[in-house]
Amino acid sequence: MDQTSHLHSGNDEEPSVLIGRALLRLRDAAAMAMSRAQQRVLQAFVVFSVVLLVLWVAAFLYGSFYYSYMPKAAFSTSVHYHYRTDCESPASFLCSYPMANISLMRNKKHVLTFGQAYRISLQLEMPESPTNQDLGMFMIKTTCFSRDGGQIASSARSARQLLSASSSRFSMLRYRSDLLRTMGTLLFLPAFLTGTVEQKQTLEVELFPDYTDDPYDPSVTAIIEIMSNRVQIYSSHLYVHAHFTGIRYILFYYPLLSALVGVSSNFIFLSVLFVLSYLRLLLKVEWRPGQLRTVGPLLEREKNTDNTQEANEEDATVLPSCWVPSK
C-alpha cells in the first residue's frame, strides 16, 4: 500500500514539475527576447542618432562653404539726386547737374566681392514731358571712390553702345511721334484718369558692363552725375548684378543639384571617418587584450617545451657517461 501511494504521489508531482520547468523556460525565453528587443531598439536609436548627427554636420559644412564662397548675386538701391538752386539767372532752374552719392557698404561690409565681375546699371523713370522730349541726348557719368577718397574708376554710359570703361555714352527718351502719343493717350485714357498708368518711360543705362573691385583698394562710394540741368526724373535705382562663372555658376543656377552633391559628398566623407574611427576603437579595446590573452599561454607553452627539451638533452648527455653495460 505504501509503495502504491508513493507511486501515485510521484505521478501527481511529475506534471507539476514539468509545467514549472516549462514556465521557467518560457520566462527565460521571454526575458531573453525582451533583452534582445531592447538591445536592438537601443542600437537602432544610436545608429539613427549618429546618422542624423552626421547628416546635420554635412549640411552645416555645405551651408558654411556656400555662405563664405558665394558673393551676393544682386544689389539694388534707390538713387536720390541733389543739386544747387541758388542761380543768378532767373531763367535757369537747376544751377548744377543732378548728382547722387551712393554707398557701396552694407552693415560695414563691402557689397562688391573682391575678384568678382559685376554689371552695374542705372534705371531711370522719366516722364514723357515736352522738356524731356526737347532735351535730347544727355550723358550720365559714374565715378567710384575708395575709402581714402582716391578715384578708382570713372565711366560715362549710354543705353545704345557698349564701349570700354573710359568711354562716354549717352541716353535719351525713345522717340514717339505726335500721332502715336495721341493714339496712346486716347486708348489708355481711363487708365490715365484713374492713375493706374502714367505717361513715362523707363530707361536702363549700363554704367559698367564688367566691373571688378580691387582687393587692395576697394570702392566704398559711387558718384552718379547726370550732366544736364534740364532733365526731369521721377525715380532712379542702381542695380548691381554678378557675372558667375565656374563653380559659382553651378552653385547659383543649379542650387538643388549642388546642395544634393555637396551634402552627400560631406556625408560620405564623414561617415567613412566615423566608421574608421569606430573600427580603430574596437581593435584597440577588444582585439589587443584578446591577443595578449592568447599570446600569453602560447609563450608559457613555448617556455615549457624549451625547458623540457633542455632537460631531455641533459639527460641524453648524462646517460652515456654513467651507463655501464652488463656482462
Side-chain angles (χ1 to χ4, degrees):
M1 294 295 290
D2 296 334
Q3 293 178 355
T4 57
S5 63
H6 284 296
L7 291 174
H8 285 293
S9 62
N11 293 330
D12 294 337
E13 290 177 356
E14 287 180 357
S16 62
V17 171
L18 294 176
I19 293 173
R21 291 178 180 177
L23 291 176
L24 290 175
R25 291 177 181 177
L26 183 62
R27 186 184 66 181
D28 294 338
M32 185 67 69
M34 288 294 294
S35 63
R36 289 180 179 178
Q38 292 177 358
Q39 186 177 4
R40 295 292 175 83
V41 171
L42 182 61
Q43 291 177 355
F45 178 75
V46 171
V47 171
F48 176 76
S49 300
V50 170
V51 171
L52 186 63
L53 178 62
V54 172
L55 183 61
W56 184 85
V57 172
F60 177 76
L61 290 177
Y62 175 77
S64 301
F65 166 75
Y66 187 89
Y67 179 78
S68 61
Y69 183 71
M70 286 296 294
K72 194 172 183 179
F75 168 75
S76 63
T77 182
S78 300
V79 180
H80 303 284
Y81 298 94
H82 58 88
Y83 51 85
R84 292 176 51 247
T85 58
D86 51 347
C87 304
E88 297 179 358
S89 175
S92 60
F93 177 72
L94 301 181
C95 304
S96 64
Y97 294 145
M99 185 179 298
N101 188 355
I102 302 172
S103 176
L104 300 179
M105 303 284 291
R106 286 294 181 273
N107 298 325
K108 297 182 180 180
K109 295 182 180 180
H110 293 276
V111 174
L112 306 179
T113 303
F114 307 142
Q116 175 64 43
Y118 291 92
R119 177 181 178 270
I120 303 177
S121 60
L122 181 67
Q123 189 179 79
L124 300 173
E125 288 187 0
M126 303 177 62
E128 292 183 340
S129 61
T131 302
N132 283 337
Q133 292 291 339
D134 297 337
L135 179 64
M137 298 168 57
F138 58 92
M139 188 169 64
I140 301 174
K141 184 178 180 181
T142 305
T143 307
C144 296
F145 293 92
S146 61
R147 187 178 297 274
D148 57 356
Q151 180 176 334
I152 298 176
S154 179
S155 172
R157 300 287 187 230
S158 79
R160 295 187 178 183
Q161 299 176 353
L162 295 176
L163 303 178
S164 61
S166 60
S167 63
S168 298
R169 304 193 181 178
F170 298 88
S171 181
M172 62 179 297
L173 288 179
R174 295 176 180 85
Y175 173 75
R176 296 178 64 186
S177 63
D178 296 337
L179 179 60
L180 185 60
R181 286 199 297 269
T182 303
M183 293 177 61
T185 302
L186 293 176
L187 181 62
F188 295 100
L189 183 60
F192 289 148
L193 293 176
T194 56
T196 307
V197 180
E198 296 180 353
Q199 290 181 318
K200 64 179 181 180
Q201 291 187 16
T202 302
L203 302 180
E204 185 175 359
V205 183
E206 187 181 57
L207 303 177
F208 293 97
D210 192 8
Y211 181 78
T212 304
D213 203 5
D214 188 4
Y216 299 102
D217 196 11
S219 57
V220 295
T221 57
I223 303 297
I224 298 178
E225 185 178 6
I226 300 179
M227 305 182 71
S228 174
N229 54 6
R230 297 177 55 198
V231 66
Q232 296 177 352
I233 301 172
Y234 279 151
S235 62
S236 179
H237 290 81
L238 182 70
Y239 293 95
V240 180
H241 298 276
H243 287 295
F244 294 124
T245 57
I247 299 178
R248 288 176 176 174
Y249 180 87
I250 298 174
L251 292 176
F252 182 76
Y253 289 101
Y254 302 96
L256 295 179
L257 180 62
S258 302
L260 180 62
V261 173
V263 174
S264 59
S265 301
N266 293 333
F267 180 78
I268 293 172
F269 179 73
L270 294 175
S271 300
V272 170
L273 289 180
F274 179 79
V275 170
L276 292 177
S277 302
Y278 183 70
L279 290 177
R280 183 179 179 183
L281 182 62
L282 287 180
L283 293 175
K284 184 178 180 181
V285 172
E286 296 181 1
W287 184 76
R288 290 185 178 179
Q291 184 182 12
L292 293 175
R293 287 196 298 270
T294 56
V295 171
L298 291 176
L299 293 175
E300 292 179 358
R301 290 177 184 177
E302 289 179 356
K303 290 180 180 179
N304 293 329
T305 54
D306 293 338
N307 294 328
T308 54
Q309 288 179 359
E310 290 178 356
N312 293 329
E313 290 178 356
E314 291 178 355
D315 295 337
T317 55
V318 170
L319 285 175
S321 61
C322 298
W323 179 72
V324 178
S326 61
K327 293 182 180 179

